[in-house]
Short mmCIF file of all heavy atoms in Angstrom, two decimals:
data_model
loop_
_atom_site.label_atom_id
_atom_site.label_comp_id
_atom_site.label_asym_id
_atom_site.label_seq_id
_atom_site.Cartn_x
_atom_site.Cartn_y
_atom_site.Cartn_z
N LEU A 1246 -20.42 1.09 -9.89
CA LEU A 1246 -20.38 -0.28 -10.42
C LEU A 1246 -19.46 -1.14 -9.51
O LEU A 1246 -19.38 -2.35 -9.69
CB LEU A 1246 -19.86 -0.31 -11.84
CG LEU A 1246 -20.76 0.39 -12.90
CD1 LEU A 1246 -20.09 0.25 -14.26
CD2 LEU A 1246 -22.15 -0.20 -12.90
N GLY A 1249 -13.81 -3.79 -10.63
CA GLY A 1249 -14.01 -4.78 -11.69
C GLY A 1249 -13.70 -6.18 -11.19
O GLY A 1249 -13.02 -6.36 -10.17
N GLU A 1250 -14.17 -7.18 -11.95
CA GLU A 1250 -13.92 -8.55 -11.56
C GLU A 1250 -12.43 -8.91 -11.49
O GLU A 1250 -11.99 -9.64 -10.60
CB GLU A 1250 -14.54 -9.50 -12.59
CG GLU A 1250 -15.91 -10.02 -12.15
CD GLU A 1250 -16.61 -10.74 -13.29
OE1 GLU A 1250 -15.95 -11.55 -13.96
OE2 GLU A 1250 -17.78 -10.41 -13.52
N LYS A 1251 -11.65 -8.38 -12.40
CA LYS A 1251 -10.22 -8.70 -12.42
C LYS A 1251 -9.52 -8.17 -11.16
O LYS A 1251 -8.68 -8.83 -10.56
CB LYS A 1251 -9.55 -8.14 -13.66
CG LYS A 1251 -9.98 -8.86 -14.91
CD LYS A 1251 -9.18 -8.42 -16.13
CE LYS A 1251 -9.61 -9.27 -17.35
NZ LYS A 1251 -9.02 -8.77 -18.56
N ILE A 1428 -12.39 5.92 -11.57
CA ILE A 1428 -12.91 4.98 -12.59
C ILE A 1428 -12.56 3.53 -12.26
O ILE A 1428 -13.34 2.62 -12.61
CB ILE A 1428 -12.42 5.35 -14.02
CG1 ILE A 1428 -13.32 4.67 -15.03
CG2 ILE A 1428 -10.96 4.99 -14.21
CD1 ILE A 1428 -13.24 5.22 -16.43
N ALA A 1468 -4.26 -5.24 -11.91
CA ALA A 1468 -5.39 -5.94 -12.58
C ALA A 1468 -6.38 -4.92 -13.14
O ALA A 1468 -6.88 -5.07 -14.26
CB ALA A 1468 -6.04 -6.92 -11.62
N ALA A 1469 -6.68 -3.90 -12.36
CA ALA A 1469 -7.68 -2.89 -12.79
C ALA A 1469 -7.21 -2.17 -14.05
O ALA A 1469 -7.99 -1.92 -14.97
CB ALA A 1469 -7.92 -1.89 -11.66
N LEU A 1470 -5.92 -1.89 -14.08
CA LEU A 1470 -5.38 -1.17 -15.26
C LEU A 1470 -5.55 -2.00 -16.53
O LEU A 1470 -5.74 -1.44 -17.62
CB LEU A 1470 -3.91 -0.87 -15.00
CG LEU A 1470 -3.31 0.34 -15.61
CD1 LEU A 1470 -4.07 1.60 -15.26
CD2 LEU A 1470 -1.87 0.47 -15.12
N GLY A 1471 -5.51 -3.34 -16.37
CA GLY A 1471 -5.65 -4.21 -17.52
C GLY A 1471 -7.09 -4.56 -17.86
O GLY A 1471 -7.35 -5.26 -18.82
N ASP A 1472 -8.02 -4.08 -17.05
CA ASP A 1472 -9.43 -4.47 -17.23
C ASP A 1472 -10.13 -3.40 -18.05
O ASP A 1472 -10.91 -2.57 -17.54
CB ASP A 1472 -10.08 -4.64 -15.86
CG ASP A 1472 -11.44 -5.33 -15.96
OD1 ASP A 1472 -11.99 -5.37 -17.06
OD2 ASP A 1472 -11.96 -5.78 -14.91
N GLU A 1473 -9.89 -3.45 -19.35
CA GLU A 1473 -10.47 -2.44 -20.25
C GLU A 1473 -12.00 -2.47 -20.24
O GLU A 1473 -12.65 -1.43 -20.35
CB GLU A 1473 -9.98 -2.67 -21.69
CG GLU A 1473 -8.48 -2.57 -21.90
CD GLU A 1473 -7.95 -1.17 -21.88
OE1 GLU A 1473 -8.75 -0.22 -21.89
OE2 GLU A 1473 -6.72 -1.02 -21.81
N ALA A 1474 -12.54 -3.69 -20.09
CA ALA A 1474 -14.02 -3.82 -20.13
C ALA A 1474 -14.64 -3.08 -18.96
O ALA A 1474 -15.63 -2.37 -19.14
CB ALA A 1474 -14.40 -5.29 -20.09
N HIS A 1475 -14.06 -3.20 -17.80
CA HIS A 1475 -14.64 -2.52 -16.62
C HIS A 1475 -14.48 -1.01 -16.76
O HIS A 1475 -15.36 -0.24 -16.41
CB HIS A 1475 -14.03 -3.01 -15.34
CG HIS A 1475 -14.70 -2.45 -14.11
ND1 HIS A 1475 -14.14 -1.46 -13.35
CD2 HIS A 1475 -15.91 -2.71 -13.59
CE1 HIS A 1475 -14.97 -1.15 -12.38
NE2 HIS A 1475 -16.05 -1.86 -12.50
N GLN A 1476 -13.33 -0.59 -17.29
CA GLN A 1476 -13.11 0.85 -17.45
C GLN A 1476 -14.16 1.38 -18.47
O GLN A 1476 -14.72 2.46 -18.25
CB GLN A 1476 -11.70 1.13 -17.99
CG GLN A 1476 -10.64 0.91 -16.94
CD GLN A 1476 -9.22 0.83 -17.56
OE1 GLN A 1476 -8.88 1.61 -18.41
NE2 GLN A 1476 -8.47 -0.16 -17.14
N LYS A 1477 -14.41 0.62 -19.52
CA LYS A 1477 -15.34 1.08 -20.54
C LYS A 1477 -16.78 1.16 -19.95
O LYS A 1477 -17.48 2.13 -20.15
CB LYS A 1477 -15.31 0.16 -21.76
CG LYS A 1477 -16.26 0.63 -22.82
CD LYS A 1477 -16.12 -0.19 -24.12
CE LYS A 1477 -16.98 0.38 -25.26
NZ LYS A 1477 -18.36 0.63 -24.87
N ALA A 1478 -17.15 0.09 -19.22
CA ALA A 1478 -18.49 0.08 -18.66
C ALA A 1478 -18.67 1.29 -17.71
O ALA A 1478 -19.73 1.92 -17.67
CB ALA A 1478 -18.73 -1.23 -17.93
N SER A 1479 -17.64 1.56 -16.93
CA SER A 1479 -17.69 2.67 -15.95
C SER A 1479 -17.78 3.99 -16.68
O SER A 1479 -18.56 4.87 -16.32
CB SER A 1479 -16.45 2.66 -15.07
OG SER A 1479 -16.29 1.39 -14.45
N ARG A 1480 -16.95 4.13 -17.73
CA ARG A 1480 -16.96 5.39 -18.49
C ARG A 1480 -18.30 5.56 -19.21
O ARG A 1480 -18.90 6.65 -19.16
CB ARG A 1480 -15.82 5.34 -19.49
CG ARG A 1480 -15.63 6.66 -20.25
CD ARG A 1480 -14.46 6.61 -21.22
NE ARG A 1480 -13.29 6.04 -20.58
CZ ARG A 1480 -12.61 4.96 -20.95
NH1 ARG A 1480 -12.87 4.32 -21.96
NH2 ARG A 1480 -11.61 4.48 -20.30
N ASP A 1481 -18.83 4.52 -19.80
CA ASP A 1481 -20.08 4.58 -20.54
C ASP A 1481 -21.22 5.02 -19.59
O ASP A 1481 -22.06 5.84 -19.95
CB ASP A 1481 -20.45 3.22 -21.16
CG ASP A 1481 -19.57 2.96 -22.39
OD1 ASP A 1481 -18.84 3.85 -22.83
OD2 ASP A 1481 -19.62 1.79 -22.88
#
Side-chain angles (χ1 to χ4, degrees):
L1246 296 180
E1250 262 170 46
K1251 290 188 176 172
I1428 198 163
L1470 210 54
D1472 193 345
E1473 299 285 349
H1475 186 256
Q1476 290 165 44
K1477 180 174 186 311
S1479 306
R1480 186 178 312 122
D1481 287 350

